[in-house]
Amino acid sequence: MKVSYNWIRQFITVPESIEEHAALLTSLGLEVEGIEKFESVKGGLQGIVVGHVLECVKHPNADKLKLTKVNIGTETVQIVCGAPNVAAGQKVPVATIGTTLYTETGEAWKIKKGKIRGEESHGMICAEDELNIGTSHDGIMVLDASLEPGTLFSEVINIENDYTIEIGLTPNRSDAMSHLGVARDLRAGLAIEGDLLEFITPSVSSFHVDNRSHRVDIAIDQPELAPRYCGVTLTGLTIKDSPDWIQNRLKAIGIAPKNNVVDITNYVMHELGQPLHAFDLSAIEGNKIVVKTLPAGTKFTTLDEVEHDLHEEDLMICDGVKPLCIAGVYGGLNSGVKKGTNSIFLESAYFNPVSVRKTAKRHGFNTDASFRFERGIDPNITEYALKRAALLIIETAGGEISSDITDVYSHKIEDQQVFLPFSKVNSLIGKEIPKEEIKSILRTLDINVNNVTETGLGLTIPAYRNDVTRPADVIEEILRVYGYDRIETSDKLNASIAKSSRLDNHKLQNLVAQQLAGQGFYEMMANSLTSDKYHTLTEQISPKNEVRMLNPLSSDLSVMRQSMIYGALEAVSHNINRRQENLRLFEFGNTYHQYQERQFTEQKHLSLVTTGAIHEQSWNNTSRTADFFYLKGAVISALKRLGITKINEKPTKMDFLSEGISLNSGTKIADLGVVKKKVCKSFDIDATVHYANIYWDEVLKLVKEDRKSVTAIPKFPAVKRDLALLVNDETSFKELHDIALQTEKKLLKEVQLFDVYEGKNLAKGKKSYALSFLLQDEVKTLTDKQIDKAMQKIQQQLEKQAGVELR
């Protein structure tokens, strides 16, 4: 939010000290993010002086130029001038050598000594537009003849020099959305430093009704959405440019002036924090204003010439026939103040903040008015702000006040009553602040002290402080004004360290993440919001279970994700489109579901996705594809790193995977496989993509306390034996692996498959497996007799349980 320093100083009379006051505002919670010097005329007319034209003759080498001698106070200089109205005896503005002038677009150019058609020129006699103080370029400016040569032109023309302060306003500080609010805080901060200043607010005592010839009736159909609504009629106005002082105030805070009526509504809004709206009286049919909602789908065109379909909850300002304005948000195309307007109906209201916010978000508006109404304005200044604006309009546009003020206040908003115990102040702040100082701080913040007891204060909080409702809120107000830096801290730090027996989820995530990073994976983060169109790619993600956003930023971010795969595929597509085709990515994240009405679930997952090669091909390394078995190895190693070793495999039931497996350890802990080409195609991916989803919540249930056992490396040799086995086609290596390990638990350490053969010379329905068995005794050297006995036992069990034959 931008505020004008000079404007703030209209409320409190203080000497200019911008840096000091900016630092004080920051300490008060209104963080100053930047300060920029403002000049109503860029450059401040530096180097421009009053000159006296002593002589003016025709240029000897140019018909349309003149040669002048000009007294600029310190010297007389020759200047070549092309203006048709330049003449001897005139007082004119002169840009001296070295002066920087600015074009209308802000481009700078410097006045230099030069020759024009062979004659020297030592400056420039200026027109209005060349100085950016007007638009005329018919000729040079001719000044008052009484001015002394050499007088600074900035003293002749009233130049506004100001500072624009950028404040990072937090959402709870609705009371500071105006210059009045910022000045009130600054006054409180200065008061704690001993500067007790008078708070000067604009007077509206001169407001009076000239006649009652144009009364407009007001009807509020839904008072809960418009608790207070005020209006008054002004007639006989002349729409023209605003006075310079109003334009300068608006320009300082980045608002382009339009005309006197619109500028004054903006001026009062930024001055007092009360948005106003002016309707062309001729556009109001039926001589009536009705505040109501309209049926869904009603068409309404706003000032920006965009047609909107209204929602049934949008509050509208209507006349007896049609809608005129979206209440608190944006005006209508045909009801605003135009060049030919001579009578207006001026509105000042308090609208329900929630209603305004929903409407603004629904239609994509973020106006100065909605910004204030959404956060909650002061309901007690509605009529005061209306009078202030009406008086300024009469002052600048002429005319009369042609009706009484109609003030409909059906739902009165009461001030908040709070009791503040002194003991709570001391305990929360950590320091005992004198009671008189507490009362003084509260008074500077317009918080009334109703009664004082030994134990505390009875307070009335003004309605515009809608963020101050509890004793803790009042204490925060006291502390920010008193000063956080005035609270002493102890040199002693007390702390306790407690060992928790619970598993540290973040520690486990980091453990797995570090392992995956070591394997060449990169961590990614996808948006938890996604498109509701993705559920068409799989039958297992039902729109019935989606968590839908009430006010989505766009259709592509309208629901919470039910699966991690779509964010992963978006990342793959994004990278492939940028020639990054070899990808190994992982992400920790949540999915969101609604299985019954208003019953929501949130589940943690770890997803992995691979495509392309594991590494680039080089002279000493062939390229290897990141295939299904690579991804499976990464998943298994991650689970084993967490101590989950008993893992079973089953075919996956995920319908977006064309082939894959589920990993189980008492419960399903992962699904992995190849993503269907149809799903990949919808993301513009032609490459083969492998995807794994680890159900992190289930994994955490299986992870035990992190205890590691350490054993010495055996010093006795291991022995390897091989078997060539004839097995049925449906027999898997895993089946043989598990039978062998169950048969010889003591000596058998490892079983490996090193050859598979299918083809001629084998019976139909048969294949050949070549297995390697590693045996070792950790306490002695194995004998041939022990080895043969173990291998014979393994062979027998393989024949019995799997029907294998020895080749």
Side-chain angles (χ1 to χ4, degrees):
M1 183 185 77
K2 291 182 178 180
V3 295
S4 156
Y5 185 49
N6 287 351
W7 204 342
I8 290 171
R9 292 167 65 207
Q10 288 181 192
F11 291 94
I12 50 173
T13 305
V14 289
E16 183 177 308
S17 182
I18 180 65
E19 296 294 341
E20 179 185 332
H21 292 156
L24 182 54
L25 286 173
T26 297
S27 70
L28 289 166
L30 302 180
E31 183 178 359
V32 175
E33 297 177 340
I35 301 172
E36 185 178 344
K37 187 172 179 58
F38 170 80
E39 296 166 327
S40 58
V41 177
K42 190 165 184 178
L45 299 178
Q46 295 295 314
I48 313 295
V49 299
V50 174
H52 183 196
V53 182
L54 302 176
E55 180 183 322
C56 179
V57 297
K58 184 180 176 183
H59 193 292
N61 302 316
D63 292 339
K64 294 185 178 181
L65 298 179
K66 294 178 181 177
L67 205 61
T68 66
K69 301 288 185 183
V70 183
N71 176 14
I72 59 173
T74 56
E75 59 180 324
T76 298
V77 296
Q78 177 174 286
I79 298 176
V80 177
C81 180
N85 64 328
V86 64
Q90 293 173 335
K91 298 291 177 65
V92 294
V94 177
T96 56
I97 299 297
T99 298
T100 300
L101 298 178
Y102 297 87
T103 65
E104 188 176 349
T105 60
E107 186 179 348
W109 57 289
K110 184 174 285 190
I111 301 296
K112 298 178 181 178
K113 176 184 175 181
K115 281 189 177 183
I116 301 176
R117 293 291 183 94
E119 295 291 336
E120 288 188 355
S121 184
H122 298 262
M124 185 175 83
I125 304 174
C126 301
E128 275 186 8
D129 64 336
E130 291 167 334
L131 297 175
N132 271 330
I133 60 174
T135 58
S136 173
H137 193 69
D138 296 336
I140 59 167
M141 291 183 69
V142 179
L143 307 177
D144 191 314
S146 64
L147 294 173
E148 289 294 322
T151 303
L152 295 177
F153 191 57
S154 58
E155 296 176 2
V156 178
I157 301 296
N158 185 24
I159 298 297
E160 177 84 11
N161 291 306
D162 196 356
Y163 292 96
T164 300
I165 304 173
E166 182 80 35
I167 293 177
L169 194 66
T170 53
N172 66 305
R173 292 302 308 277
S174 61
D175 62 298
M177 296 185 299
S178 64
H179 287 79
L180 180 147
V182 175
R184 181 169 46 221
D185 257 25
L186 183 59
R187 172 175 172 262
L190 291 170
I192 202 71
E193 295 179 355
D195 296 330
L196 300 176
L197 302 172
E198 181 185 0
F199 199 57
I200 306 166
T201 55
S203 172
V204 294
S205 59
S206 61
F207 180 89
H208 68 278
V209 178
D210 296 301
N211 60 72
R212 294 174 174 81
S213 59
H214 290 80
R215 174 182 170 83
V216 174
D217 294 325
I218 297 173
I220 312 296
D221 284 6
Q222 291 173 291
E224 70 280 3
L225 300 182
R228 189 174 190 184
Y229 191 94
C230 296
V232 69
T233 303
L234 285 76
T235 60
L237 308 179
T238 302
I239 304 302
K240 57 185 179 180
D241 289 340
S242 302
D244 288 343
W245 67 271
I246 289 181
Q247 291 196 37
N248 290 337
R249 288 285 182 266
L250 295 178
K251 288 177 182 178
I253 58 175
I255 296 177
K258 293 181 175 61
N259 59 57
N260 46 3
V261 172
V262 173
D263 290 351
I264 285 168
T265 60
N266 284 327
Y267 180 89
V268 174
M269 175 174 63
H270 287 276
E271 180 183 52
L272 305 178
Q274 170 68 57
L276 305 165
H277 191 73
F279 297 93
D280 188 326
L281 191 60
S282 65
I284 300 176
E285 298 185 52
N287 209 35
K288 185 176 184 181
I289 288 290
V290 183
V291 184
K292 62 181 180 179
T293 56
L294 296 174
T298 301
K299 305 293 185 183
F300 181 71
T301 304
T302 46
L303 276 170
D304 55 1
E305 300 184 3
V306 175
E307 186 177 73
H308 298 267
D309 291 327
L310 298 179
H311 189 273
E312 65 269 17
E313 294 180 359
D314 291 339
L315 188 65
M316 303 295 295
I317 311 299
C318 308
D319 59 18
V321 178
K322 63 185 182 299
L324 302 173
C325 173
I326 302 177
V329 180
Y330 212 28
L333 179 62
N334 299 315
S335 63
V337 174
K338 301 176 284 291
K339 189 173 183 180
T341 299
N342 56 26
S343 299
I344 64 169
F345 174 76
L346 189 61
E347 163 199 283
S348 178
Y350 179 93
F351 297 117
N352 181 280
V354 175
S355 172
V356 173
R357 178 166 177 77
K358 285 183 176 180
T359 297
K361 292 289 288 182
R362 199 177 287 129
H363 297 289
F365 287 123
N366 183 23
T367 62
D368 284 339
S370 67
F371 175 82
R372 286 159 175 79
F373 279 124
E374 287 173 13
R375 288 157 177 78
I377 61 172
D378 184 358
N380 294 322
I381 66 166
T382 310
E383 184 179 359
Y384 170 71
L386 187 68
K387 289 180 178 180
R388 168 69 168 158
L391 288 172
L392 287 173
I393 291 173
I394 296 299
E395 178 185 331
T396 61
E400 297 177 328
I401 297 173
S402 300
S403 75
D404 290 314
I405 290 178
T406 303
D407 185 359
V408 182
Y409 199 174
S410 54
H411 280 56
K412 185 170 177 61
I413 300 171
E414 301 290 346
D415 293 341
Q416 186 79 25
Q417 304 297 319
V418 173
F419 180 75
L420 180 66
F422 289 125
S423 59
K424 191 162 188 176
V425 176
N426 298 335
S427 63
L428 280 184
I429 292 179
K431 178 180 180 178
E432 185 172 347
I433 299 176
K435 296 177 183 179
E436 288 304 316
E437 191 164 5
I438 290 175
K439 290 191 286 183
S440 175
I441 291 172
L442 293 174
R443 290 191 186 100
T444 61
L445 294 171
D446 288 350
I447 296 176
N448 292 327
V449 180
N450 300 326
N451 54 74
V452 183
T453 68
E454 287 297 320
T455 59
L457 302 174
L459 306 174
T460 297
I461 314 296
Y464 65 80
R465 288 311 306 267
N466 50 41
D467 62 319
V468 182
T469 58
R470 307 166 300 165
D473 300 327
V474 178
I475 294 169
E476 182 182 3
E477 292 298 295
I478 294 169
L479 183 54
R480 73 179 181 85
V481 176
Y482 181 78
Y484 289 95
D485 54 352
R486 294 177 62 189
I487 307 301
E488 299 83 3
T489 57
S490 172
D491 295 332
K492 182 181 178 182
L493 177 64
N494 296 323
S496 60
I497 301 174
K499 186 180 186 306
S500 174
S501 61
R502 294 186 301 171
L503 292 169
D504 188 335
N505 178 40
H506 295 291
K507 183 178 179 181
L508 294 177
Q509 281 188 209
N510 288 335
L511 189 71
V512 173
Q514 288 169 4
Q515 174 163 319
L516 291 171
Q519 292 176 309
F521 282 78
Y522 287 89
E523 185 169 8
M524 58 165 280
M525 286 183 284
N527 201 326
S528 295
L529 298 173
T530 187
S531 171
D532 60 357
K533 298 176 183 177
Y534 288 158
H535 65 72
T536 60
L537 302 177
T538 170
E539 294 180 359
Q540 293 177 330
I541 298 178
S542 171
K544 295 179 182 178
N545 300 328
E546 66 190 14
V547 179
R548 180 168 289 275
M549 303 301 293
L550 294 176
N551 295 300
L553 295 173
S554 70
S555 59
D556 291 334
L557 300 171
S558 59
V559 298
M560 305 291 283
R561 63 183 175 189
Q562 294 189 63
S563 173
M564 304 277 285
I565 188 171
Y566 301 121
L569 292 177
E570 286 175 348
V572 170
S573 176
H574 181 85
N575 280 273
I576 287 178
N577 288 338
R578 287 154 182 78
R579 309 292 295 172
Q580 299 296 318
E581 298 171 347
N582 302 324
L583 301 169
R584 285 169 286 170
L585 308 173
F586 73 93
E587 178 189 10
F588 285 97
N590 295 340
T591 59
Y592 308 86
H593 310 269
Q594 181 180 205
Y595 292 112
Q596 295 182 26
E597 183 68 24
R598 306 299 298 172
Q599 291 187 11
F600 303 99
T601 64
E602 184 175 346
Q603 299 166 2
K604 188 82 171 182
H605 298 261
L606 166 60
S607 68
L608 292 84
V609 61
T610 63
T611 187
I614 299 174
H615 47 69
E616 299 289 345
Q617 185 174 356
S618 63
W619 67 273
N620 65 345
N621 199 13
T622 57
S623 178
R624 179 191 166 193
T625 302
D627 55 15
F628 168 79
F629 296 101
Y630 174 80
L631 180 62
K632 177 184 175 183
V635 173
I636 295 291
S637 64
L639 295 174
K640 286 185 175 180
R641 184 68 181 86
L642 296 173
I644 302 173
T645 56
K646 296 180 180 179
I647 301 171
N648 298 314
E649 299 177 13
K650 293 181 181 178
T652 185
K653 294 182 179 179
M654 288 292 178
D655 65 355
F656 52 76
L657 300 177
S658 60
E659 52 184 304
I661 59 173
S662 290
L663 301 181
N664 300 269
S665 184
T667 182
K668 185 166 74 169
I669 53 177
D671 283 296
L672 60 150
V674 183
V675 181
K676 286 182 177 179
K677 290 188 178 297
K678 171 189 172 184
V679 177
C680 290
K681 197 71 177 175
S682 65
F683 289 86
D684 196 27
I685 300 172
D686 292 328
T688 300
V689 178
H690 297 88
Y691 174 77
N693 177 48
I694 297 175
Y695 302 92
W696 191 254
D697 292 330
E698 299 301 321
V699 167
L700 291 180
K701 295 176 184 177
L702 299 173
V703 177
K704 306 298 181 185
E705 187 176 350
D706 190 15
R707 292 181 179 176
K708 295 182 175 63
S709 59
V710 179
T711 58
I713 299 174
K715 61 181 180 180
F716 299 99
V719 176
K720 186 177 287 187
R721 292 289 187 268
D722 299 337
L723 290 179
L725 304 173
L726 196 63
V727 302
N728 296 324
D729 276 343
E730 66 272 11
T731 302
S732 67
F733 163 66
K734 186 176 187 305
E735 185 180 347
L736 304 182
H737 173 276
D738 292 345
I739 292 172
L741 289 175
Q742 287 294 325
T743 301
E744 180 52 67
K745 296 180 179 179
K746 181 179 178 183
L747 300 180
L748 184 60
K749 303 300 182 184
E750 190 177 292
V751 182
Q752 293 289 343
L753 174 68
F754 65 88
D755 186 48
V756 179
Y757 175 73
E758 294 177 296
K760 62 181 182 178
N761 301 327
L762 292 181
K764 186 177 181 180
K766 297 289 184 177
K767 59 185 175 182
S768 175
Y769 275 173
L771 304 184
S772 173
F773 301 86
L774 186 71
L775 299 99
Q776 186 179 38
D777 192 328
E778 297 177 359
V779 296
K780 62 183 179 180
T781 302
L782 287 173
T783 63
D784 289 339
K785 184 177 179 180
Q786 288 176 299
I787 296 169
D788 292 340
K789 182 178 178 181
M791 290 302 300
Q792 186 178 8
K793 185 166 59 170
I794 292 170
Q795 181 182 337
Q796 289 173 350
Q797 288 300 314
L798 291 174
E799 291 172 352
K800 180 180 178 181
Q801 297 185 42
V804 305
E805 300 176 32
L806 191 64
R807 288 190 66 191

